Amino acid sequence: MPFHTAGTIGLLRYRSVISMAGITLFTYGQSNPEGNSPALTKTKPSFEFKRSSDLILLQLEQHNGRIGALSSSASALQYHRPQLQKYSASPAVARSVGEMRHLQQLDSRVKFSIVTDFPHEQLFCNIGVNVISTPPTFRPHKALYKARALEWFRIQAQLHEDDWVLHLDEETIVDEHTIEACIRFAETENSFDVGQGIILYNAYQFWSHKLITAADICRCRDDLGKFFLASSRLHVPVFGVHGSFLLVRGKVENEVGWDTDSLVEDYRFSLQAWSQGYRLGWIPSVAREQSPMTLSDFFKQRRRWFTGMWSLPGMLGKLSCFQWCGSSFAAIFIAIGRRWGAQVPYWAYIFMTICSSTENYSLAFACVFQDLDKQIPAFRIFKHVLLSLIGGTIVNLLDVLTVVYSIFYPAKGFQIISK
């Protein structure tokens, strides 16, 4: 049975999250002897929150002259370097920096940085934050794309084992509530070395593309359900982790590292950390992002995820692939079987009924959750719930098509999607 609703009741304890306007990513370090709040580091589509003893670093990674989403869009500039003048700073980065620049005032140690590839640091000379340039000569053993930039940052930052890095995508918006939640996690959760919170997909152009918005409601539902279960109860990344709103202790960053050629470097990182004895915890706050802007980008994103998860060593990645769309495949097979007169076992009918009911309820809950966070009027929320339930069937079919396409034409690298 799907885990979509596993964490719904427990989440009600954090109802204040709904009223928050942003999310937080940061890097946090040891407490300051003068009593100042711990330093944080924030990261966007390659955002990293690096906490050192004297500053908070928000990091964004840039690829191919524009910021690429951490989880889906980095390109290796050391192999393909377009002309600088053809590019400009990503609109998503400009929006994010504009929304979060004031957070530097929360603490004298808070500082934003953009991690980019030489020579594209010139694109950010007037953006008002620190820029870190990844040189073309830096060639780790395996890492390409986003992982290469993350590895460069990790090496250059010289993280103390009690520093913390918060990873975000370039379009992620964070606020004071999330930063404070991350600081509390770093200060009080001594049993956990990696933290994860909720991501809402309502930051920009929310419901402007109804089908894609409905598709990403499923992702919010997963955060409220299976990811909440994994981080707050199991403390094991059985479903992986997001590459955004991912808070990591410096010790884990250094021991695990990002020198990997996996297409889902965040999932691989979490599994490696788990195998080395580190545990996953829950951060009671939210981050806000945006959905892909086109169906083409939607397919590129999902195809990379499926290809990357299926390629991970061990069984957890493959089980995640089955869990992702297993119920959709089962429903299609049963429908085809009944069409041709096949007898459907009673237990299968009951199982699919329970799965369908759970899926519809959790989808409606996640839709309302995101709309309330966006302060959408009640009559429009009702309309959106109906759209999400109707569109859920289409989304399931899209997932099945993506999986089938990925099996025959697996993703071979990162592809930048528009943000």
Side-chain angles (χ1 to χ4, degrees):
M1 182 186 302
F3 293 96
H4 303 316
T5 60
T8 298
I9 295 177
L11 259 177
L12 297 180
R13 290 179 298 166
Y14 308 121
R15 17 181 217 288
S16 62
V17 164
I18 296 179
S19 66
M20 295 299 121
I23 346 157
T24 174
L25 299 190
F26 75 99
T27 313
Y28 158 88
Q30 297 177 342
S31 298
N32 183 312
E34 298 178 5
N36 294 336
S37 299
L40 307 177
T41 299
K42 303 209 170 204
T43 20
K44 283 256 164 204
S46 283
F47 272 18
E48 314 279 329
F49 279 42
K50 175 231 167 184
R51 156 51 151 91
S52 74
S53 59
D54 59 354
L55 60 82
I56 297 170
L57 175 65
L58 168 57
Q59 269 194 248
L60 304 99
E61 302 166 4
Q62 152 127 10
H63 308 276
N64 271 1
R66 45 181 179 162
I67 297 297
L70 264 178
S71 59
S72 61
S73 63
S75 283
L77 285 178
Q78 70 265 42
Y79 299 122
H80 174 63
R81 186 186 307 285
Q83 294 299 312
L84 181 63
Q85 57 267 29
K86 294 181 179 179
Y87 298 93
S88 59
S90 164
V93 175
R95 287 193 298 269
S96 297
V97 171
E99 290 283 344
M100 297 189 295
R101 188 182 290 111
H102 72 283
L103 297 176
Q104 297 178 105
Q105 301 172 11
L106 295 176
D107 189 288
S108 61
R109 297 163 294 179
V110 175
K111 184 178 181 181
F112 285 85
S113 295
I114 297 175
V115 179
T116 186
D117 286 284
F118 176 86
H120 297 104
E121 69 275 6
Q122 300 173 39
L123 298 174
F124 301 96
C125 59
N126 297 318
I127 204 168
V129 297
N130 184 45
V131 179
I132 299 173
S133 178
T134 306
T137 55
F138 178 61
R139 304 208 176 172
H141 181 59
K142 294 181 180 179
L144 300 173
Y145 317 122
K146 178 187 76 174
R148 170 179 170 268
L150 286 175
E151 183 68 358
W152 172 254
F153 162 72
R154 182 191 68 79
I155 294 172
Q156 295 301 308
Q158 298 182 339
L159 296 169
H160 185 275
E161 65 176 21
D162 290 324
D163 290 346
W164 290 81
V165 177
L166 183 62
H167 299 258
L168 301 180
D169 287 350
E170 86 268 24
E171 80 277 11
T172 307
I173 304 297
V174 303
D175 65 7
E176 295 89 342
H177 180 273
T178 310
I179 292 180
E180 292 169 359
C182 289
I183 293 176
R184 285 196 301 271
F185 182 93
E187 289 181 322
T188 63
E189 298 291 350
N190 297 324
S191 300
F192 308 117
D193 304 283
V194 180
Q196 183 106 76
I198 300 171
I199 298 178
L200 305 181
Y201 299 90
N202 60 2
Y204 182 66
Q205 294 190 341
F206 189 46
W207 286 108
S208 62
H209 193 303
K210 293 179 174 54
L211 183 59
I212 295 178
T213 299
D216 269 359
I217 289 175
C218 299
R219 297 170 67 188
C220 175
R221 174 189 64 189
D222 288 348
D223 275 18
L224 298 173
K226 66 182 186 182
F227 284 105
F228 175 78
L229 173 68
S231 59
S232 68
R233 296 293 181 265
L234 304 178
H235 305 299
V236 173
V238 289
F239 307 108
V241 296
H242 296 303
S244 182
F245 200 180
L246 177 64
L247 180 63
V248 184
R249 189 188 296 271
K251 182 180 180 180
V252 184
E253 290 272 348
N254 290 330
E255 292 191 8
V256 177
W258 294 95
D259 191 8
T260 175
D261 55 2
S262 173
L263 292 178
V264 284
E265 72 293 322
D266 43 13
Y267 200 154
R268 170 265 172 197
F269 181 91
S270 69
L271 293 179
Q272 183 65 31
W274 176 38
S275 72
Q276 294 179 210
Y278 297 112
R279 304 180 71 210
L280 175 66
W282 169 254
I283 301 174
S285 192
V286 300
R288 295 168 181 83
E289 298 186 356
Q290 70 180 77
S291 300
M293 301 181 72
T294 66
L295 279 175
S296 174
D297 284 345
F298 173 88
F299 276 109
K300 290 177 184 177
Q301 184 184 64
R302 266 59 172 183
R303 183 176 69 152
R304 184 181 64 81
W305 291 347
F306 183 87
T307 302
M309 289 191 298
W310 190 264
S311 301
L312 287 171
M315 289 302 299
L316 276 182
K318 296 173 179 60
L319 289 175
S320 292
C321 290
F322 283 116
Q323 187 277 330
W324 177 6
C325 58
S327 59
S328 299
F329 272 111
I332 291 174
F333 289 149
I334 289 176
I336 293 174
R338 296 196 58 162
R339 171 67 180 81
W340 292 99
Q343 198 70 10
V344 179
Y346 185 69
W347 67 265
Y349 174 78
I350 295 298
F351 178 77
M352 291 306 302
T353 299
I354 294 174
C355 286
S356 179
S357 301
T358 302
E359 183 170 349
N360 288 335
Y361 159 72
S362 57
L363 198 65
F365 184 94
C367 179
V368 172
F369 192 89
Q370 286 200 126
D371 280 14
L372 285 176
D373 177 76
K374 198 67 173 178
Q375 300 183 353
I376 290 177
F379 76 92
R380 288 181 59 196
I381 293 178
F382 179 74
K383 175 184 174 183
H384 290 163
V385 169
L386 292 179
L387 286 173
S388 65
L389 294 177
I390 295 172
T393 302
I394 301 175
V395 170
N396 287 337
L397 290 174
L398 289 176
D399 279 339
V400 169
L401 290 174
T402 302
V403 169
V404 172
Y405 185 72
S406 301
I407 292 173
F408 291 99
Y409 301 97
K412 299 185 183 301
F414 278 77
Q415 291 178 296
I416 295 177
I417 64 174
S418 300
K419 293 288 187 175

